[in-house]
C-alpha cells in the first residue's frame, strides 16, 4: 500500500467521512489522483462512498470495517515497535520521554488541525 493510501485511511479514521476534494487537499495530491486512489481503495474494500445526509449532492468517502481494521492494525504495529525500542532506554531517558509527552501530544493535535481543518 502506498504512503498516500495509508495516510488517507488514517485521515478518515481520525476525522470521519470526507469529500474527495478535502482528502486531496489534506494529503497534498490532485483531485484526479485522489479519485483514482479512492477507487483503488474502494475496490480493495477499505473505503466506500456514501451520500452526505446533509447535502444529497455531495458524496463522502468513508472507511469500511476492513479499512478501520487495517488502520488499527498498522497503528498497533507502530506502538509495539516503539515499545520494544523504549524498553532499551535507560530509566532517565524514559523519564525524559514521559515528561515530554504532553508537549508532543499538543504538537500532534496542532499539526492535525492545521492539516485537516475542522471536522465535518
Amino acid at each position: 500500500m502506498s504512503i498516500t493510501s495509508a495516510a488517507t485511511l488514517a485521515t478518515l479514521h481520525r476525522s470521519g467521512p470526507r469529500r474527495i476534494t478535502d482528502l486531496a487537499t489534506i494529503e497534498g495530491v490532485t483531485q484526479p489522483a485522489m479519485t483514482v486512489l479512492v477507487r483503488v481503495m474502494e475496490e480493495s474494500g477499505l473505503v466506500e462512498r456514501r451520500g452526505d445526509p446533509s447535502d444529497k449532492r455531495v458524496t463522502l468517502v468513508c472507511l469500511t470495517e476492513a479499512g478501520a481494521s487495517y488502520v488499527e492494525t498498522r497503528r498497533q504495529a507502530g506502538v509495539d515497535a516503539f515499545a520494544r525500542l523504549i524498553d532499551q532506554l535507560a530509566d532517565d531517558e524514559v523519564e525524559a520521554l514521559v515528561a515530554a509527552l504532553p508537549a508532543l501530544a499538543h504538537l500532534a493535535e496542532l499539526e492535525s488541525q492545521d492539516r485537516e481543518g475542522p471536522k465535518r
Side-chain angles (χ1 to χ4, degrees), residues 6 9-11 13 63 66-76:
L9 291 174
T11 295
H13 193 264
L63 270 185
S69 177
Y70 175 84
V71 171
E72 291 162 7
T73 298
R74 189 174 155 112
R75 185 170 290 147
Q76 188 59 51

Side-chain angles (χ1 to χ4, degrees), residues 28-54:
V29 299
T30 65
Q31 186 271 332
M34 183 56 70
T35 298
V36 170
L37 186 70
V38 166
R39 186 178 321 117
V40 169
M41 291 191 301
E42 193 173 27
E43 290 169 358
S44 298
L46 300 171
V47 300
E48 62 186 7
R49 298 176 203 223
R50 293 187 193 154
D52 185 341
S54 64

Side-chain angles (χ1 to χ4, degrees), residues 97-107:
L97 284 176
V98 170
L101 286 176
L104 292 172
H106 189 215
L107 280 176

Side-chain angles (χ1 to χ4, degrees), residues 57-89:
R57 300 168 294 170
V58 173
T59 299
L60 299 174
V61 179
C62 309
L63 270 185
T64 62
E65 197 171 304
S69 177
Y70 175 84
V71 171
E72 291 162 7
T73 298
R74 189 174 155 112
R75 185 170 290 147
Q76 188 59 51
V79 167
D80 294 345
F82 269 106
R84 284 189 301 274
L85 293 171
I86 290 169
D87 284 345
Q88 297 176 41
L89 297 176

